[in-house]
């Protein structure tokens, strides 16, 4: 698809007489910009699928289209606009678009179908007025696809009058004014006849009769008969047109002749196709033209005991497995018929394909593998999710999923899809460690392991323990990083040692003493004595013994092969572990050193001052006193703390359990 800037540069120049179509060009450019900037809507996804299909019509099989129509319904009007845009400006082959669009119109709800018809009308108008319509083969093929899908649309499905009538009026005006080329005029006139005259029983201005049907030009006869079978109001003439289509197909068929033609004619008129019985034409072989699937990637969710199935694309996962439309893929060789035949198409209301080629009804097929399903249209569906029992069954079938069918009572394998079973994620591997979380010293739980190694590629392991059952599928290359463990619980920790006794406090200091007389110095209070050291802490107790590992009983099945190699591989996977011994108790804390003794108390001293006593003063009176304070002593230092006790020794580990293999 072209980039937006390039698409704008490459818009074709138009003659001056088409200047009036500027608004249409703007509409197309805006639609193109909208389409290119949306990258993940369902309409765009379908367009990309159709573009990548090239000239293949597998994508447009009724079963495949039926699975895609819900995406368009969810996308609404944008989805159907994108589908029409994919033809007009994309890289979709017109033949692919024509078949897909016809099937899509049948499956859309009426409002969306009418919206799609409106978008087709706008694209049709733009193509009619393209100046290079006559010289550009691609534009002619696009116009023819739009023309046929519109005129052969299902009976009863018409555009909204408000959408259709202005386009028809503009078409007549452009034709009368000579604005269209000769080829565009021919298509335009044919469109007007099909839209305006056929619903009234007219064609080219005359009533339609059986003679009209026979007089149609040979190159366009079948296409016009198909149109008449859809649009004429008279039921008898619609049936006459269908009969002529069948007669034409019978005359051109290399399969049908002689007396068989009458039987085929009535069957095809009644059913739209010619189913044959496998009792009359027994099956010889069945094969697929090709298998549009490289392989299946299977991701295990062990916790949920489910597995997700993804189709393998060029860059890894590409989404759920696509439905396989066997009508386009399967070819059946039947005894008595000259060439391979296909499955019959699903019935359609007023079928106008009217294929006289023999076909096998899808009801004659049954899936012969329990994981496959087949719908009424012959679409084979692979599973998107599996439970672990189904995954185990699939893995034991080998390295590929066989596409097996029962056809006419015979089992045939039409293909094999390679399997790639991914190992469990890291979070899921922890689920296979049992025990180790019970009471101290508890033994590990017993395990029972079922191992099926009937095919070399895969091992299916089912583990029962602690009330759980877990199944996992492993390849031989994944065994080195996978373990199944039963473990005893750790032992109880030892008792802590006793704490040391605290030290005794130090002796108090002596009190301060005042001087004995004037002129002598007093002594301060004495320092307190140091505290005594604390006692040593006691030794911690011994830890308890760890729990023993649980017993593992392994039952191994290896089919017709010897299990010696399988048992050797499993010995690196299975583990019975004793729990570790309990840690020793911590040593007791050393006693705290005794506090230092308090310092001796201070003292306040008083002395009279030496002075002359007045003559008249009494002998005992002192005129002045001298006072001073002696400080107390310092507190003694605390004693040192006692040393901590030694920790206790750890308990002994538990013993591993027994692993016993049975065959």
């Amino acid at each position: 698809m072209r980039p937006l800037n390039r698409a704008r540069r490459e818009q074709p120049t138009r003659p001056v007489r088409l200047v009036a179509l500027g608004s249409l060009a703007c509409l197309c450019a805006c639609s193109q910009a909208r389409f290119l900037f949306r990258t993940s809507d369902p309409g765009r996804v379908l367009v990309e699928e159709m573009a990548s299909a090239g000239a293949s019509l597998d994508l447009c099989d009724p079963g495949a289209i039926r699975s895609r129509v819900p995406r368009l319904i969810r996308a609404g009007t944008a989805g159907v606009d994108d589908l029409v845009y994919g033809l007009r400006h994309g890289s979709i082959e017109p033949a692919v678009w024509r078949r897909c669009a016809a099937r899509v119109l049948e499956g859309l709800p009426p409002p969306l179908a009418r919206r799609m018809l409106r978008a087709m009308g706008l694209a049709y108008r733009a193509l009619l007025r393209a100046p290079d319509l006559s010289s550009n083969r691609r534009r002619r093929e696009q116009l023819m696809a739009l023309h046929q899908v519109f005129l052969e649309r299902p009976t009863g499905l018409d555009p909204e009058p408000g959408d259709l009538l202005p386009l028809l009026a503009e078409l007549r005006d452009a034709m009368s004014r000579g604005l269209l080329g000769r080829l565009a005029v021919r298509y335009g006139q044919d469109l007007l006849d099909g839209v305006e005259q056929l619903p009234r029983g007219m064609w080219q201005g005359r009533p339609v009769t059986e003679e009209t049907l026979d007089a149609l030009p040979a190159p366009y006869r079948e296409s016009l008969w198909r149109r008449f079978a859809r649009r004429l109001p008279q039921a008898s003439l619609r049936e006459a047109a269908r009969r002529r289509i069948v007669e034409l197909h019978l005359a051109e068929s290399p399969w049908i002749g002689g007396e068989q033609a009458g039987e085929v004619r009535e069957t095809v008129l009644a059913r739209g196709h010619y189913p044959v019985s496998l009792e009359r034409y027994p099956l010889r072989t069945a094969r697929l033209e090709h298998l549009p699937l490289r392989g299946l990637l299977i991701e295990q969710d062990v916790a949920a005991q489910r597995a997700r199935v993804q189709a393998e694309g060029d860059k890894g996962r590409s989404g759920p497995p696509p439905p396989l439309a066997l009508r386009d893929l399967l070819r059946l060789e039947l005894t008595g018929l000259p060439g391979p035949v296909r499955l019959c198409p699903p019935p359609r209301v007023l079928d106008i394909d009217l294929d006289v080629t023999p076909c096998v009804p899808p009801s004659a097929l049954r899936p012969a593998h329990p994981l496959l399903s087949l719908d009424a249209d012959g679409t084979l569906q692979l599973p998107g999710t599996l439970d672990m029992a189904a995954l185990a069954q699939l893995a034991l079938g080998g390295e590929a999923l066989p596409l097996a069918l029962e056809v006419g009572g015979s089992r045939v394998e039409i293909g094999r899809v390679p399997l790639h079973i991914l190992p469990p994620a890291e979070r899921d591997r922890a689920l296979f460690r049992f025990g180790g979380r019970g009471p101290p010293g508890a033994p590990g739980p017993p395990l029972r392991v079922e191992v099926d190694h009937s095919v070399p590629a895969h091992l299916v392991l089912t583990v029962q323990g602690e009330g759980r059952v877990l199944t996992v599928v492993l390849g031989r290359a994944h065994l080195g990083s996978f373990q199944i463990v039963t473990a005893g619980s750790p032992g109880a920790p030892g008792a802590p040692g006793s704490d040391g006794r605290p030290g005794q406090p130090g002796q108090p200091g002596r009190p301060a003493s005042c001087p004995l007389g004037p002129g002598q110095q007093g002594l301060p209070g004495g320092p307190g004595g140091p505290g005594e050291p604390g006692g040593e802490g006691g030794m911690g107790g011994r830890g308890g013994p760890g729990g023993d590992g649980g017993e593992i009983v392994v039952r191994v099945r290896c089919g017709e092969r010897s299990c010696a190699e399988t048992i050797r591989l499993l010995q690196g996977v299975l583990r019975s572990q004793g729990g570790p011994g309990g840690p020793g108790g911590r040593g007791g804390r050393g006693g705290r050193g005794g506090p230092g003794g308090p310092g001796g108390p201070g003292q306040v001293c008083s002395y009279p001052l030496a002075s002359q006593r007045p003559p008249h003063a009494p002998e005992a009176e002192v005129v002045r006193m001298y006072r001073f304070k002696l400080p107390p002593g310092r507190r003694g230092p605390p004693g040192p703390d006692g040393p901590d006790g030694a920790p206790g020794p750890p308990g002994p580990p538990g013993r591993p359990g027994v692993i016993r293999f049975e065959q």
Side-chain angles (χ1 to χ4, degrees):
M1 193 170 293
R2 297 176 300 177
L4 179 61
N5 56 358
R6 183 181 174 190
R8 287 174 174 169
R9 290 197 306 266
E10 293 182 0
Q11 288 178 353
T13 58
R14 291 174 171 82
V16 176
R17 62 180 181 175
L18 296 181
V19 171
L21 297 179
S23 59
L24 176 62
C26 177
L27 173 65
C28 293
C30 294
S31 175
Q32 183 177 15
R34 174 188 58 78
F35 179 79
L36 288 172
F37 282 111
R38 277 203 328 273
T39 58
S40 60
D41 62 86
R44 173 67 182 271
V45 171
L46 180 57
V47 169
E48 290 178 347
E49 289 176 349
M50 294 169 63
S52 63
S56 171
L57 299 179
D58 296 348
L59 184 73
C60 305
D61 179 87
I65 282 293
R66 187 175 62 251
S67 69
R68 288 167 171 81
V69 163
R71 286 191 269 167
L72 286 175
I73 295 176
R74 289 195 300 271
T77 58
V80 296
D81 287 350
D82 287 346
L83 184 58
V84 176
Y85 180 90
L87 170 72
R88 180 66 181 90
H89 295 280
S91 57
I92 302 175
E93 290 293 328
V96 174
W97 189 91
R98 175 190 170 191
R99 184 177 179 186
C100 284
R103 301 295 188 190
V104 165
L105 274 175
E106 293 178 356
L108 287 176
L112 279 183
R114 286 191 287 270
R115 170 71 185 208
M116 183 172 169
L117 292 176
R118 177 181 183 276
M120 289 169 56
L122 294 174
Y124 191 94
R125 178 179 65 175
L127 284 170
L128 279 184
R129 300 200 175 194
D132 60 344
L133 178 63
S134 298
S135 59
N136 190 316
R137 182 183 61 84
R138 186 74 167 185
R139 293 191 190 278
R140 294 197 305 273
E141 291 175 349
Q142 292 170 349
L143 182 63
M144 183 181 298
L146 286 168
H147 192 79
Q148 291 179 335
V149 170
F150 183 80
L151 291 178
E152 295 177 9
R153 66 191 183 279
T155 303
L157 176 60
D158 295 313
E160 294 286 355
D163 295 332
L164 180 63
L165 296 179
L167 289 176
L168 296 180
E170 185 178 347
L171 175 59
R172 289 193 205 90
D173 180 67
M175 292 171 61
S176 64
R177 294 170 57 193
L179 299 180
L180 301 179
R182 185 172 58 182
L183 181 62
V185 168
R186 192 171 70 193
Y187 270 97
Q189 187 59 56
D190 191 54
L191 178 69
L192 291 173
D193 290 344
V195 171
E196 297 180 335
Q197 295 194 36
L198 277 183
R200 296 186 287 111
M202 305 290 289
W203 177 248
Q204 295 182 346
R206 299 177 183 177
V208 176
T209 63
E210 293 207 24
E211 289 74 16
T212 306
L213 299 179
D214 293 331
L216 294 173
Y220 312 106
R221 185 172 294 170
E222 181 177 0
S223 175
L224 292 173
W225 282 338
R226 292 165 63 91
R227 197 183 308 172
F228 289 1
R230 286 285 202 199
R231 307 264 79 85
L232 284 174
Q234 302 95 334
S236 59
L237 288 176
R238 292 199 302 269
E239 186 64 16
R242 295 179 77 244
R243 283 188 172 275
R244 282 163 172 77
I245 296 173
V246 173
E247 293 294 344
L248 179 63
H249 291 174
L250 285 173
E252 296 174 347
S253 173
W255 300 78
I256 310 300
E259 299 177 356
Q260 190 181 10
E263 172 196 345
V264 174
R265 180 185 303 107
E266 299 308 316
T267 301
V268 172
L269 286 171
R271 300 191 180 187
H273 52 268
Y274 178 49
V276 296
S277 168
L278 293 178
E279 294 180 356
R280 181 177 178 182
Y281 301 100
L283 177 71
R284 287 189 295 162
T285 61
R287 59 181 174 83
L288 290 178
E289 287 281 302
H290 68 281
L291 181 61
L293 188 62
R294 294 183 56 186
L296 297 177
L297 290 173
I298 301 178
E299 183 180 35
Q300 303 180 71
D301 183 349
V302 180
Q305 287 291 279
R306 303 285 295 174
R308 184 175 63 161
V309 183
Q310 299 246 304
E312 184 181 7
D314 294 334
K315 298 181 180 179
R317 298 176 180 85
S318 62
L324 303 180
L326 294 186
R327 182 167 182 267
D328 285 320
L329 299 173
L330 184 63
R331 299 295 177 264
L332 304 166
E333 301 273 356
L334 305 183
T335 303
L337 294 179
V341 299
R342 303 165 65 179
L343 294 184
C344 298
R348 302 170 62 195
V349 177
L350 190 59
D351 200 303
I352 57 174
D353 288 339
L354 302 172
D355 191 357
V356 301
T357 304
C359 60
V360 174
S363 59
L365 277 61
R366 296 283 186 278
H369 194 285
L371 299 183
L372 303 177
S373 61
L374 189 69
D375 67 12
D377 293 342
T379 300
L380 191 66
Q381 183 63 62
L382 281 65
T385 59
L386 300 170
D387 59 33
M388 296 306 283
L391 176 59
Q393 181 184 10
L394 180 60
L396 295 176
E399 299 184 47
L401 169 63
L403 302 180
L405 300 172
E406 289 184 7
V407 185
S410 301
R411 186 183 188 278
V412 294
E413 186 175 302
I414 59 175
R416 297 181 70 84
V417 183
L419 297 176
H420 302 284
I421 302 177
L422 303 178
E426 189 66 34
R427 66 178 184 277
D428 285 336
R429 298 183 188 185
L431 298 172
F432 291 91
R433 184 174 182 86
F434 297 83
R437 298 177 294 273
L447 301 182
R448 184 167 186 84
V449 182
E450 301 280 343
V451 181
D452 197 326
H453 198 194
S454 301
V455 296
H458 302 121
L459 290 88
V460 178
L461 293 87
T462 301
V463 185
Q464 302 179 45
E466 293 186 324
R468 295 181 291 155
V469 179
L470 298 176
T471 298
V472 66
V473 177
L474 298 173
R476 290 187 52 154
H478 305 144
L479 290 177
S481 59
F482 186 83
Q483 285 194 338
I484 299 172
V485 179
T486 173
S489 298
S498 59
D499 293 341
R501 60 178 177 78
Q504 296 294 324
Q507 298 294 324
R510 68 179 183 275
S513 59
C514 292
L516 298 178
Q520 294 180 345
Q521 183 177 3
L523 298 175
E532 296 183 2
E536 181 180 358
M539 180 178 178
R542 175 183 292 274
D548 294 339
E551 181 186 41
I552 303 179
V553 178
V554 188
R555 183 176 178 83
V556 185
R557 292 190 296 272
C558 302
E560 301 298 324
R561 302 178 299 109
S562 168
C563 286
E565 176 66 13
T566 304
I567 292 174
R568 186 187 68 78
L569 292 172
L570 291 173
Q571 287 172 345
V573 174
L574 303 171
R575 290 283 185 272
S576 178
Q577 299 174 346
R586 66 170 178 80
R589 294 186 177 90
R592 183 176 296 278
Q603 186 71 269
V604 176
C605 301
S606 299
Y607 294 96
L609 292 174
S611 63
Q612 290 291 332
R613 200 176 47 206
H616 59 273
E619 183 176 347
E621 181 180 355
V622 177
V623 177
R624 295 181 63 189
M625 294 296 291
Y626 174 70
R627 289 182 177 85
F628 61 92
K629 184 177 182 179
L630 293 175
R634 299 184 306 276
R635 173 174 288 279
D641 293 345
D644 291 344
R655 296 168 299 176
V658 176
I659 301 176
R660 188 171 70 250
F661 287 91
E662 299 176 354
Q663 294 185 8

